[in-house]
Amino acid sequence: MAAKPSAPQQQKLLAVLIDADNASAAMVEGLFEEIAKFGVASVKRIYGDWTQPNLGKWKQVLLDHSIQPIQQFAYTRGKNATDSALIIDAMDLLYTRRFDGFCLVSSDSDFTRLAARLREEGLTVYGFGEEKTPAPFVSACDKFIYTEILRADAAQAVDEPPANGDKAKAPAPAEPAKPAAKKKPQKVPVDFIAKLIDDIDDEDGWVELGVLGQNISKLRPAFDARLYGFKKLSDLIKGQAKRFELQVRGSSATGGEALYVRNRKTEK
């Protein structure tokens, strides 16, 4: 008797809250493409004082991406009232119990406690910020994505010719991503990965690649294969063939095929 097809997994509902004072409009395309990997952005809000000229570039992309601007005047010079407004809204959304996770877009460490509080309620927190983001905020998130990666991806997409060969120019983005000096990829933390494999492998030394990725994220939320010049974790592992080996085998979790990895045995 043929097995019944499994029901499609329901996508997670996410609330996206953007701190306009500490995020760049240049990465907005890449931002929502990245968020789509995790779930549906059912709420999209951005906070700032929209009477100020420094947020002009954000104004150009709000309609295109259906982002709701939240006006917050600065009550006192030098104090950021935007942070408080975002935090209050986040707690209000939390208590609706409608969301599976939150996307906090900011490089400001003031949101560290908010991220921790949301996780205490069992929700997944995805952080998005620049590489200058303080470590406590990064660690408080389940997953943290550096927006420099998103800007680089967006710039590459702009440079690529249309797939159908049409020479007509695509419409220019409101603020083109600026891949100033192309950063050299970071050194792959092979020792960290190898030790983690040793910690969670089976009797034969194998670990399912997805399980390895989950454990890496738990220990290093900002780990991203793109930081090291690879598109995804499997490519990174393949690029370190001297240290790791891959194998395709059946997955007990999905019933299909999955990639497994183990540390390559060295000859003594």
Side-chain angles (χ1 to χ4, degrees), residues 175-192:
E175 181 191 358
K178 300 173 183 177
K182 205 167 185 179
K183 292 186 67 174
K184 186 178 179 182
Q186 298 178 20
K187 184 180 178 182
V188 178
V190 288
D191 292 335
F192 164 71

Side-chain angles (χ1 to χ4, degrees), residues 1 21-22 57-58 60 74 81 86 100 108 116 122 126 133 161 171 173 179 187 195 210 219 224 227 239 251 254:
M1 184 176 178
D21 295 324
N22 284 285
K57 292 177 180 178
W58 268 114
Q60 298 174 30
L86 190 154
D100 302 295
D108 193 339
Y126 303 98
T133 304
K187 184 180 178 182
K195 182 180 183 306
L219 295 174
D224 195 309
L227 292 172
S251 170
T254 64

Side-chain angles (χ1 to χ4, degrees), residues 4 26 34 36 43-44 69 96 105 118 154-155 162 171-172 179 182 189 194 206 244:
K4 292 181 180 180
E34 192 74 16
V43 167
K44 294 182 280 186
T96 66
V105 186
L118 295 171
K182 205 167 185 179
W206 293 100
F244 309 113

Side-chain angles (χ1 to χ4, degrees), residues 34 37 143 188-190 192-194 196-197 200 207-218 220 222-241 244-246 259-262:
E34 192 74 16
K37 298 176 184 178
K143 177 71 177 174
V188 178
V190 288
F192 164 71
I193 297 172
L196 188 53
I197 291 174
I200 62 175
V207 178
E208 190 171 348
L209 190 65
V211 174
L212 175 63
Q214 292 169 10
N215 280 270
I216 289 175
S217 293
K218 290 176 184 176
R220 296 191 181 181
F223 181 94
D224 195 309
R226 291 169 292 185
L227 292 172
Y228 310 103
F230 299 92
K231 188 175 180 181
K232 50 189 176 180
L233 180 59
S234 59
D235 295 332
L236 184 151
I237 295 296
K238 290 175 185 175
Q240 308 300 315
F244 309 113
E245 55 181 310
L246 279 171
L259 281 173
Y260 281 73
V261 59
R262 73 175 176 183

